[in-house]
């Protein structure tokens, strides 16, 4: 009798969920009665009900993980297609850097930088959407429809200059997927729009693969990987030309390999695993050197997990050395440019002035410390909101989401810190403190980079810092903040997925409605 009553309660909650999502979608369709809002609303109601049914009612459903990864793939495809060209922050720059890298591999441009050729139709796409996509609206999608052409019609090449791309500053490892997508579009003589979206699609595919591999490799904290992957800001960046897609994906892979190494028993870490981590460290460090501090957490793996003490010392020394070697090869020149004050004027949009230099910051330590504290006090709430996806596009106010959706993601981050049946005892207090310290150093590095390249020396707060810069370190922070005295009964993965997907559906319905006005 109790079982029947319990089942009836589940089906009643399913009906309530369907009614709620139906009313929610109807409201946004009523606010913006277009076919796209009707389509997305209908699909959203069906998908929300289906997700709740499969994970809460049909307990014997055997394909939960394929369903989760399928949902991630669908979300990535949506973000690839929905945003018009260059609708992601700095996407013109990232698009052209992928184009430059492709030209370099073709022998049509120099790896040392300088001018490079692009198709005239691709340049016209930049002219059409480069500025207008900073303010996404219905006009953006109308322009996209009018300029769409499947094939390139006798397009000629034109030369682009004014961009000082180098292997160091374009993060070539993270740009390879979008470069391959561009190469495929050009090789098949696709038009500018399909070629552009192919680059985005390949970037999303690469991120999806990194998430799946990271999830499979780590024995613990799998829910943290899913939490990061399903965040709106993560999906937005992963489905674009931004190198942040690769950085976030690679950081998840670093996290999973690190957890895998900590979980190994005595003498279980093989040379193959050490070499794999070393290769990852070599290519991850120059992507953005501020995040390489998390690579040094490898040295806190107990020596008895290696075959012998000598192997442990050599392996840790190798992991410590390779990031410096990699940064020295690819990024040293760009890092050194921040050390001294600029003799010429620096430009930030339409503003002109002198950016802070490292020498200037260090010469006034107290003033610099006060400026850092002031920056954190003024911007901390903005950082966590934009890290989750409060404002997408070019941080447009018309695309701002309700704060209650951001609070849901904040609570999910909190629940990621609760101990569940997959509790990981290897992360003792000293190791967890090191995780926090490494993450704080990376966070400070993100702020410092904006201090040096985006803040005029007449300003008293650091400008340009956004929450997305902290996404690569979030897994390390959440794993270190695990509460040992608060426990969730059962596995948290499926519960977290349900809440995050349902929240994401609410997010997408609102986004489509307000972005197409």
């Amino acid at each position: 009798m109790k079982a029947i009553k319990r089942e009836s309660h589940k089906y009643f909650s399913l009906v309530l969920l369907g009614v709620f999502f139906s009313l929610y979608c109807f409201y946004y369709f009523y606010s913006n009665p277009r076919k796209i809002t009707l389509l997305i609303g209908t699909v959203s109601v069906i998908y929300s009900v289906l997700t709740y049914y499969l994970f809460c009612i049909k307990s014997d459903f055997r394909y939960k993980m394929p369903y989760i990864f399928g949902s991630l793939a669908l979300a990535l495809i949506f973000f690839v297609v929905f945003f018009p060209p260059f609708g992601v922050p700095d996407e013109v720059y990232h698009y052209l850097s992928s184009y430059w890298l492709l030209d370099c591999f073709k022998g049509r441009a120099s790896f040392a930088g300088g001018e490079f050729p692009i198709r005239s139709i691709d340049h016209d796409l930049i002219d059409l959407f480069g500025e207008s996509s900073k303010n996404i609206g219905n006009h953006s999608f109308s322009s996209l429809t009018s300029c769409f052409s499947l094939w390139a019609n006798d397009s000629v090449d034109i030369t682009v200059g004014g961009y000082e791309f180098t292997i160091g500053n374009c993060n070539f490892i993270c740009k390879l997927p979008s470069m391959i997508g561009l190469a495929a579009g050009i090789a098949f003589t696709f038009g500018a729009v399909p070629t552009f979206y192919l680059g985005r699609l390949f970037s999303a595919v690469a991120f999806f693969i990194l998430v799946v591999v990271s999830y499979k490799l780590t024995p613990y904290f799998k829910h943290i990987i899913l939490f990061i992957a399903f965040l709106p800001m993560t999906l937005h960046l992963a489905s674009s030309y931004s190198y942040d897609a690769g950085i976030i994906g690679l950081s998840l892979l670093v996290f999973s390999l690190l957890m895998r190494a900590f979980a190994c028993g005595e003498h279980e870490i093989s040379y193959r695993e050490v070499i794999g981590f070393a290769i990852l460290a070599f290519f991850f460090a120059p992507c953005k050197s501020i995040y390489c501090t998390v690579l040094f957490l490898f040295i806190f793996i107990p020596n008895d997990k290696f075959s012998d003490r000598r192997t442990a010392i050599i392996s840790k020394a190798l992991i410590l050395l390779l990031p410096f070697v990699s940064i020295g090869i690819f990024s040293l020149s760009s890092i050194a440019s921040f050390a001294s004050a600029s003799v010429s004027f620096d430009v930030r949009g339409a503003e002109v002035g002198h950016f802070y230099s490292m020498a200037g910051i260090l010469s006034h330590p107290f003033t610099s410390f006060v400026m850092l504290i002031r920056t954190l006090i003024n911007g901390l709430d903005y950082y966590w909101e934009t890290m989750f996806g409060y404002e997408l596009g070019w941080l447009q106010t018309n695309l701002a989401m309700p704060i209650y959706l951001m609070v849901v993601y904040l609570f999910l981050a909190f629940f990621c810190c609760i101990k569940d049946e997959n509790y990981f005892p290897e992360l003792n207090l000293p190791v967890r403190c090191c995780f926090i310290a490494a993450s704080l150093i990376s966070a400070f590095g993100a702020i410092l980079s904006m201090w040096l390249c985006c803040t005029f020396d007449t300003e008293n707060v650091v400008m340009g810092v956004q929450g997305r810069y902290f996404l690569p370190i979030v897994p390390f922070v959440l794993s270190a903040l695990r509460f040992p005295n608060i426990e969730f009964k059962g596995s948290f993965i499926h519960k977290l997925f349900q809440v995050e997907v349902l929240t994401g559906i609410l997010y997408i319905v609102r986004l489509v409605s307000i972005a197409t006005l």
Side-chain angles (χ1 to χ4, degrees), residues 280-428:
L280 178 60
F282 182 82
F283 288 111
F284 176 71
C287 291
K288 216 161 191 179
S289 54
I290 59 174
Y291 300 123
C292 69
T293 55
V294 298
L295 295 171
F296 303 147
L297 295 172
F298 188 83
I299 66 176
F300 296 102
I301 298 172
N303 290 340
D304 59 8
K305 294 184 181 293
F306 297 85
S307 57
D308 54 61
R309 180 178 175 81
R310 179 172 175 271
T311 302
I313 294 174
I314 293 175
S315 300
K316 293 179 180 181
L318 182 66
I319 300 301
L320 281 175
L321 178 63
L322 279 177
F324 291 105
V325 173
S326 181
I327 292 171
I329 294 173
F330 298 113
S331 305
L332 188 60
S333 59
S334 58
I335 294 175
S337 64
F338 295 131
S340 59
S342 174
V343 295
S344 60
F345 284 105
D346 298 301
V347 179
R348 186 183 67 196
E351 300 174 277
V352 177
H354 289 290
F355 291 150
Y356 279 92
S357 66
M358 185 65 75
I361 294 173
L362 294 178
S363 62
H364 302 89
F366 181 75
T367 303
S368 299
F369 177 75
V370 172
M371 183 171 171
L372 175 63
I373 298 300
R374 185 185 300 116
T375 299
L376 293 175
I377 291 174
N378 291 344
L380 201 57
D381 56 341
Y382 175 77
Y383 299 156
W384 74 261
E385 290 170 1
T386 54
M387 180 174 68
F388 295 145
Y390 176 63
E391 294 174 337
L392 298 187
W394 286 74
L395 302 177
Q396 295 176 221
T397 54
N398 69 307
L399 297 185
M401 290 291 148
I403 195 65
Y404 62 79
L405 288 179
M406 300 303 103
V407 172
V408 173
Y409 288 114
L410 187 63
F411 272 106
L412 287 176
F414 169 79
F415 284 118
C416 283
C417 301
I418 295 177
K419 182 174 73 172
D420 65 357
E421 65 182 18
N422 294 314
Y423 178 62
F424 189 26
E426 290 291 336
L427 293 184
N428 53 40

Side-chain angles (χ1 to χ4, degrees), residues 73-137:
L74 289 175
L76 286 168
I77 292 172
F78 169 81
F79 277 90
V80 165
V81 175
F82 180 72
F83 279 85
F86 315 114
V88 182
D90 303 318
E91 198 167 22
V92 172
Y93 176 88
H94 295 304
Y95 173 73
L96 288 174
S97 67
S98 296
Y99 223 122
W100 168 79
L101 193 62
L102 175 61
D103 284 338
C104 289
F105 281 110
K106 286 183 174 182
R108 305 175 69 197
S110 170
F111 282 106
E115 297 180 341
F116 58 98
I118 72 171
R119 299 187 304 178
S120 59
I121 57 172
D122 297 326
H123 192 273
D124 291 341
L125 190 70
I126 297 174
D127 291 338
L128 182 61
F129 287 99
E131 290 298 322
S132 65
S133 285
K134 294 181 180 180
N135 185 26
I136 297 172

